[in-house]
Each structure stands twice: as C-alpha cells, then as structure tokens.
Amino acid sequence: MISQEKQQELLEKFDPEAATRKLAGIMGWVVFFGLLAFSLFQLYTSIFGVLTAQLQRSIHLGFALALIFLLFPARKKNLRAKKVAWYDLLLALIAVAVGAYWPLMIDELVNRVGRLTPTDFYIGIAAILLVLEATRRTVGLPITIIAALFMTYALYGPYMPGFLAHRGLDLESLVQTMFFTTEGILGTPLGVSSTFIFLFLLFGAFLVKTGVGQYFNDLAVAVAGKSTGGPAKVAIFSSALQGTISGSSVANVVTSGSFTIPMMKKLGYRKEFAGAVEAAASTGGQLMPPIMGAAAFLMVEFIGGGITYWDIAKAATIPALLYFTGIWIMTHFEAKRVGLRGLKDEEMPNRKEVLKKIYLLLPILIVIILMVSGMSIMRAALWSILSTIIVSAFNKATRIGFKDAIDALVDGARTALSVAAATAAAGIIVGVVTKTGLGLKLANGLLDLSGGYLIPTLMLTMLAAIVLGMGSPTTANYVITSTIAAPAIILLGVPDLSAHLFVFYFGIIADITPPVALAAFAAAGVSGGEPLRTGVNSAKLAIAAFIIPYMFVLSPQLLMIDTTWYELIWVVFTAISGMLAIGAGIIGYWLRKLQWWERVLGIVGGIMLIYPEGMTDIIGLGIFILVVALQILVKDKGEAGPKPAKS
C-alpha cells in the first residue's frame, strides 16, 4: 500500500481540487473557522428553510470564493508556501463583499430590477472575474476558457458567422444577466450546489470519519478475494462502493487504488492492466446509484417535469450494473488467460469480523429508503448524516466524537469549494445560452451536420462530451452538453432522461479516455505503469460504457421507461451476453485461448446482441452459441497452458 504522502502527491498532480495550501498559524485558523461556518450555514438553511434563491446562492458563492483564494494558490509552484499572498487576501476580501452584496442590498436590488447603479456594475464585474479565476484555480483552465468564450460570443453576436449570429449584448446587459438574475452565475447549477450537492458531500465526509472507506475494501476482499484474479475483482467491487462517498474519479483511484493496485501486481497482473482496472472501476463510481456524481443532482433541475432524483437513480441502476459487469467479465478473462489465482486463506480477512461491521452500510440503505418513500433530497441527506453519527456509535472504533464531527464539517466544506466554482462557471455558460438562444441554434446545427439521423447525432454528441470532459469536471461538462447537445437528441424523439443520461455518461468516462485520461494517469502513478498504455487499457476495460448509452437511447426499456418485466429481463440478458462475447473477443480468452477469427466473431456477435432489435438479437445469439461450441469442440492449438504475466 502506498504512503499517504504519495497519495497526496498524486492527488495534487492529477486532481486540481486537491492542490491546496497547508496553512498554519492564524491564517490556518481563519480557513478552519471559515470552512466550519460554511458547513454550519448550509446545515442551518437545510434544517430551518432555504433562503430566497439570490440570498442562498450569493452567500454560498461568497463563502466558496473567499475560501478558494485563501486555500488555492494562483500557481502550483506556490503550493508549499506557508503564507497567503497579499493579492490572494485582497481577492478573498472582495469575494466576501461580492457574497454579502445581495443580502445587504436586496431591497434596493429588487426595487430597481433591470437598472444597475455604478456600484452594482462594478460588483457584477468583480463577481464574474472572481468566478473565472476561482474556477481556473480549482478545476483547471479549459472550463475557464470556455466560459470566457461564451461571454465573448454574447458581446460580439452581430459579428458571428452564419446561424451563430445574434443581436449581441452590451456589457451592462451581460453583467445584469450574470449576477443580478437567476439565469447566470446565481442560476440553477449554483442553486443545486448550494442545496443538494453540499449536503451529500457532507454525508460523504461523515461516512469517511466512520472508516466506511476501509470497510468497503475489507468487504470487497471478503466477497471476491478468493475468486480467480481476486484482487482485480476486489478493486471493481470496492471502487463501486467508494463512488458512493467520493465524487471524484481521481480521488477514488488514489484512495482505493493504493490498496488494490499493489495487491493486483503482487499476484501477477501487469502494471498497466492493474492500474486500468482501478481507473475504470473508480470512474464508474459516479455512475453507481444510490449516490451518483454531482451532475446527477443537476439533472433533476435540468429535466424538470416532476422528475425526482430517485427516478434518475432508479433508471441508472441497470446501466451501472452492466458497466461493472463488463469490467468484471474482462478482468476474469484476463486472469484466466495469464493463469492468475485468487488470494490465499492467510491473505484473506476474517469474514466474521468483516460481517460484524455490516451496520456501517445502514446510512446508505437509509438514504435509499427515504428517497424511495418520496422524501425530498435535502431531508434525505440530513437524515443520512444523522444516521451516520448514530450508527457510528455502535462500535468504539467507528464512533464519531465531537472533534470528528467538526473535522467532517470542515472536510465536507473543503470538498464543496471546487463544485461551487465549477457550477458558478457553468451558470455563466447557461446564462449566455439562455440570453442568446445559442442552445437551439447549436442543436439545429448538430442535426444539420448529422443529416437528422440519430446514430450520427449520438456519435457527434459523444465526441463533444468526451472532449469537454477531458478538461472540465463532470458538473460543468454536463451543464454544457445538456444545454447544447441533449436538445438535439431530444428533437429526434428520444426521451429526455435517456438524452441527459447519454451526455452524463460520456462526460464521466472522459476520465479514462486517452489522450487525456486523468483517472488512468493517476492509477499509473500508483502502479508505476506507463500512463498512456494504462489509459488505453482502461478504455478497453470500460468498453461497456461506450456501448451502454447507445443501448438505453435506442432501447429506453433499459432505463425502466415504459417497459414490462419480460422486456426488461430480455434486454438485460442479451446485454450481458453481448458484453460476455465482446469481453472475450477483446481479451482473447473465453473457455480457452481464442484464435483471431474467433475474437472477431465474438465482438460482432456481442454487438448484435447488444443492439436492441429482435433480428439482431437472434443473429447475435446464434453467433454466441457458435463461438461457445467451437471452444468446446476445437482444442486450443496454442501453448499448453497459460503463463503468469510478469509485473
């Protein structure tokens, strides 16, 4: 297992959200109490009632911006500095003023709606610039550049070519939209950050304090450790569970990967393959209900129409299970191919001791029950936090004391900073799209480019989501693609939920898609493997994630939309069979080593099984049976037996 220092080094290198100053002294206490106050404000409003939209969101933004400038240096080379630069202190003070402006001036701002005073104008300008700089520091340059380009588009509309042209906004109108309405920075994305997302991040912080993260690893080893290639399956199982408490693919890789990757290497998995298993599984954590990535909470607001978070989580359940099934299948075939064993008895944890701590999963079960019962997301999150504290008291080792509770409040707020910045920047993009009508223009342009056909439209949308996802967090990626690309898919008759989950999926798997695959690169840092090769391997293992979104667009039954149990069972059966055949074809092993033409047959048959049509299912099933029969009847003419791979 790698050291905590190494884990932190990898997080700082591959995850901008983790690259914070380690402050001490007076400034350390200022940040500590600032983070604590941030969490207490959020808890207070969730218990006693959320403030009006402008007040709730501006205070949330003010807290986040001020703390970002104190914690995140302007340049990474200043990360080890013990002091906060004077200009960061100045920016933090301006951020406080920006956050306090709405609460202090709300009566006047409401009365003169649409008319800005010079002070309003300069505060609005400051808010825009602070959001852009805070976003650059916390989540990187790409999303910052995209937000700036969108504002440039808003200002210079008349000079844009072709269908992109519009009347244009003057600077005052742009500032008005960005900070003095709920269509820009203070829009829906930040609104979701200031309510649902913050509380679930807090829930995750409390779960960490109980030691549930380590328990996920122990439970995974107890369940899958002794099976063929056990450590890889442990990585898949534990990472799926870790995704419940971690909203970051990179953080998931570094925390659970520090335990699983060395174990895989020890048993004989290649470095690149071991890192790829962890990267693919960790990235899928955001796809796994009941608590998915932060963008899933945004989806509730963006789809509207009375849809609840539970509707989204329920719809995402089967695709998520298929995703992890696909990775499980391929790691199993790889283990069989190279002759890897499972863990020995002496390497396994005591199952009785592991099962004694099963109560640690109760808070997650409680969240599911509360959401199924129809309770609001915020109330469900509050009760889940309380249940975590109660459940932790069952055992002295997991008990959350006063100090642990304070630390959880601080850690939760720290995690929320980057989300607040990203959603504020996403609000800029949404504001421009709304004000200029760009969304419909781009949707129509996308349809023209694809000829109005569904599959080409889906492929173009997939490419856009992956490219955007390579340089921006999932939340911002989802906001952009759901505003611009999802409407094009919906115009072709696809259900709203299918279209939004489509862009959500591809935004997430950008983390394991070369050439910029941050989760895979972080895994390579743990395994010692070659980063790009690790990325290629992780994309191969996660092949299901590139197929499943097409499946649920073409066959919404997979999302349990307008379906019967018979149809659902058949779709799941053919999907799993298809992934079994594709996995064997990619790895080159099934019941025995496959010849090249058998691999091609397996992949073709698998794709036909996955494509949701009666005729393709029948042909695919025929090919599936043929490949299995060939393996049974025709002996392998290759080497006598598999040889363990060298690490």
Side-chain angles (χ1 to χ4, degrees):
M1 185 168 177
I2 66 172
S3 66
Q4 286 191 341
E5 290 78 10
K6 177 67 173 176
Q7 290 183 39
Q8 186 59 36
E9 181 185 328
L10 288 170
L11 281 171
E12 290 175 0
K13 183 176 181 181
F14 296 107
D15 189 357
E17 300 171 22
T20 60
R21 294 183 176 106
K22 307 299 181 288
L23 297 173
I26 294 174
M27 196 50 63
W29 284 110
V30 168
V31 170
F32 176 85
F33 283 113
L35 291 167
L36 180 60
F38 193 10
S39 280
L40 292 176
F41 163 74
Q42 294 291 156
L43 281 174
Y44 176 84
T45 56
S46 62
I47 294 169
F48 297 103
V50 174
L51 306 177
T52 58
Q54 292 93 335
L55 295 183
Q56 180 79 19
R57 298 170 190 182
S58 62
I59 294 172
H60 179 82
L61 180 68
F63 266 118
L65 292 178
L67 289 163
I68 285 168
F69 290 119
L70 295 177
L71 276 170
F72 291 82
R75 290 180 292 178
K76 273 196 173 182
K77 71 176 187 179
N78 297 332
L79 199 57
R80 303 301 173 195
K82 298 294 183 183
K83 293 182 179 180
V84 178
W86 67 267
Y87 49 83
D88 284 337
L89 285 172
L90 178 60
L91 290 174
L93 290 173
I94 297 171
V96 171
V98 166
Y101 196 69
W102 262 102
L104 293 175
M105 304 291 291
I106 185 165
D107 291 336
E108 290 187 37
L109 290 171
V110 170
N111 289 333
R112 62 169 183 260
V113 62
R115 293 180 293 110
L116 299 185
T117 66
T119 305
D120 294 342
F121 178 78
Y122 291 123
I123 285 289
I125 289 287
I128 294 169
L129 295 176
L130 289 175
V131 165
L132 292 176
E133 174 60 9
T135 304
R136 183 192 70 82
R137 294 190 187 196
T138 54
V139 294
L141 198 56
I143 184 62
T144 311
I145 293 173
I146 291 169
L149 287 174
F150 267 75
M151 285 194 292
T152 304
Y153 170 77
L155 292 170
Y156 294 97
Y159 306 101
M160 294 294 158
F163 71 92
L164 290 175
H166 64 95
R167 287 189 307 169
L169 300 175
D170 57 47
L171 186 57
E172 185 173 324
S173 298
L174 182 64
V175 171
Q176 165 82 19
T177 300
M178 288 300 111
F179 193 65
F180 295 97
T181 71
T182 53
E183 294 179 345
I185 291 171
L186 303 181
T188 298
L190 189 66
V192 176
S193 172
S194 66
T195 50
F196 313 146
I197 295 176
F198 192 99
L199 287 178
F200 274 100
L201 292 174
L202 212 52
F203 174 45
F206 273 90
L207 282 176
V208 169
K209 284 299 172 186
T210 66
V212 75
Q214 181 56 47
Y215 180 68
F216 285 154
N217 290 335
D218 294 341
L219 182 62
V221 174
V223 171
K226 294 193 75 172
S227 61
T228 302
K233 294 171 183 175
V234 168
I236 297 165
F237 189 38
S238 65
S239 294
L241 293 172
Q242 287 278 6
T244 301
I245 59 175
S246 167
S248 165
S249 303
V250 174
N252 201 349
V253 165
V254 173
T255 50
S256 60
S258 65
F259 167 75
T260 59
I261 290 174
M263 194 161 49
M264 283 187 269
K265 287 171 61 183
K266 184 180 177 183
L267 257 71
Y269 278 104
R270 293 171 286 117
K271 293 176 183 178
E272 287 80 12
F273 192 86
V277 170
E278 182 57 52
S282 290
T283 299
Q286 292 189 68
L287 305 171
M288 177 61 78
I291 304 171
M292 300 163 66
F297 295 98
L298 287 169
M299 206 180 297
V300 177
E301 302 296 325
F302 275 52
I303 295 177
I307 195 168
T308 65
Y309 175 77
W310 178 246
D311 292 329
I312 293 168
K314 183 177 69 173
T317 299
I318 292 174
L321 291 175
L322 291 176
Y323 173 83
F324 283 103
T325 300
I327 301 173
W328 187 286
I329 286 167
M330 280 193 271
T331 53
H332 177 77
F333 286 152
E334 174 72 4
K336 297 285 284 185
R337 186 181 72 83
V338 298
L340 300 182
R341 61 174 175 84
L343 295 175
K344 296 176 181 176
D345 287 337
E346 59 269 25
E347 297 171 307
M348 293 285 290
N350 186 311
R351 280 197 173 94
K352 287 184 179 178
E353 292 299 316
V354 172
L355 290 175
K356 280 181 182 178
K357 294 183 180 178
I358 197 75
Y359 63 86
L360 288 173
L361 301 183
L362 277 175
I364 298 171
L365 182 62
I366 288 169
V367 169
I368 298 172
I369 293 170
L370 292 177
M371 287 195 291
V372 170
S373 68
M375 183 177 285
S376 70
I377 300 175
M378 286 185 65
R379 286 291 167 187
L382 275 173
W383 281 108
S384 64
I385 292 169
L386 182 60
S387 68
T388 304
I389 296 170
I390 294 170
V391 165
S392 75
F394 294 172
N395 189 304
K396 187 178 179 180
T398 62
R399 192 169 299 144
I400 295 177
F402 179 75
K403 184 180 181 301
D404 290 328
I406 296 297
D407 288 343
L409 291 171
V410 170
D411 292 344
R414 191 188 301 268
T415 308
L417 298 180
S418 58
V419 177
T423 50
I428 291 175
I429 295 164
V430 173
V432 171
V433 169
T434 303
K435 202 72 177 174
T436 61
L438 179 63
L440 187 59
K441 291 176 181 179
L442 287 177
N444 288 327
L446 191 61
L447 289 176
D448 289 341
L449 192 62
S450 64
Y453 294 103
L454 181 58
I455 296 296
T457 302
L458 292 175
M459 293 179 73
L460 290 170
T461 301
M462 175 189 74
L463 290 172
I466 289 175
V467 170
L468 283 169
M470 288 178 181
S472 59
T474 309
T475 45
N477 180 313
Y478 168 72
V479 169
I480 299 168
T481 51
S482 66
T483 306
I484 293 169
I489 304 174
I490 293 167
L491 285 172
L492 292 173
V494 174
D496 289 12
L497 185 53
S498 298
H500 282 262
L501 278 172
F502 185 88
V503 299
F504 175 71
Y505 253 73
F506 284 112
I508 287 172
I509 61 172
D511 279 346
I512 50 171
T513 306
V516 183
L518 293 181
F521 293 172
V526 178
S527 69
E530 200 279 317
L532 192 58
R533 197 173 298 166
T534 303
V536 171
N537 274 291
S538 63
K540 282 168 58 180
L541 283 172
I543 190 69
F546 293 90
I547 299 171
I548 290 167
Y550 287 89
M551 287 173 57
F552 60 61
V553 167
L554 296 170
S555 180
Q557 292 95 329
L558 203 61
L559 302 179
M560 294 184 264
I561 297 174
D562 299 329
T563 186
T564 63
W565 280 107
Y566 169 77
E567 291 172 330
L568 186 63
I569 290 168
W570 177 251
V571 168
V572 172
F573 168 73
T574 55
I576 291 176
S577 301
M579 282 191 290
L580 191 67
I582 289 172
I586 290 173
I587 298 297
Y589 192 94
W590 198 337
L591 301 178
R592 60 163 171 77
K593 182 180 177 183
L594 298 180
Q595 301 299 318
W596 69 266
W597 54 272
E598 291 176 308
R599 296 175 71 171
V600 172
L601 266 180
I603 292 171
V604 170
I607 291 171
M608 296 190 83
L609 274 167
I610 285 171
Y611 189 82
E613 273 193 10
M615 185 55 68
T616 56
D617 284 348
I618 292 169
I619 296 171
L621 200 57
I623 295 173
F624 183 95
I625 293 168
L626 174 64
V627 175
V628 173
L630 284 170
Q631 290 177 85
I632 294 171
L633 296 173
V634 181
K635 290 185 177 180
D636 185 5
K637 295 180 181 180
E639 296 180 0
K643 294 181 180 179
K646 294 180 181 179
S647 62

